[in-house]
Amino acid sequence: MHENPDLTQWRAAQNLTQAELAELLPVNLRTLQNWERPADERNPPPYLWRALEHLESELRISKNPSEGKRTKKEKRK
């Protein structure tokens, strides 16, 4: 599990915009923006990192930037 997670860095590493990640979680964009505030100000829920780990596997997000952008396994309805 992640200690002192930085959501902004995680999202950037996955080539996701705030709007894209908010839609995928799904949460309100403003909620996601609040979670990305500095560590001493943010209050993300405890389940967030489990959800992000699941999201990584669902989207098959490449850890190698030379492989290009992420691809969706299935388009959600």
Side-chain angles (χ1 to χ4, degrees):
M1 200 50 70
H2 301 268
E3 289 187 32
N4 302 320
D6 186 324
L7 181 57
T8 304
Q9 288 178 351
W10 182 92
R11 181 180 51 75
Q14 309 313 320
N15 296 315
L16 292 168
T17 66
Q18 286 181 329
E20 289 171 330
L21 182 55
E23 183 178 336
L24 290 169
L25 282 174
V27 296
N28 184 286
L29 176 59
R30 186 68 183 137
T31 297
L32 181 69
Q33 291 169 339
N34 285 336
W35 291 346
E36 289 194 359
R37 291 184 1 223
D40 58 334
E41 296 177 17
R42 67 178 176 226
N43 191 21
Y47 63 81
L48 177 62
W49 287 98
R50 287 191 311 266
L52 294 178
E53 287 170 2
H54 177 72
L55 185 60
E56 278 182 310
S57 66
E58 280 293 309
L59 295 176
R60 296 183 297 159
I61 296 173
S62 171
K63 294 296 183 184
N64 184 349
S66 66
E67 292 179 17
K69 278 197 122 175
R70 68 199 184 284
T71 57
K72 291 184 181 179
K73 189 188 303 185
E74 295 178 6
K75 181 156 178 103
R76 294 181 185 224
K77 294 180 182 181

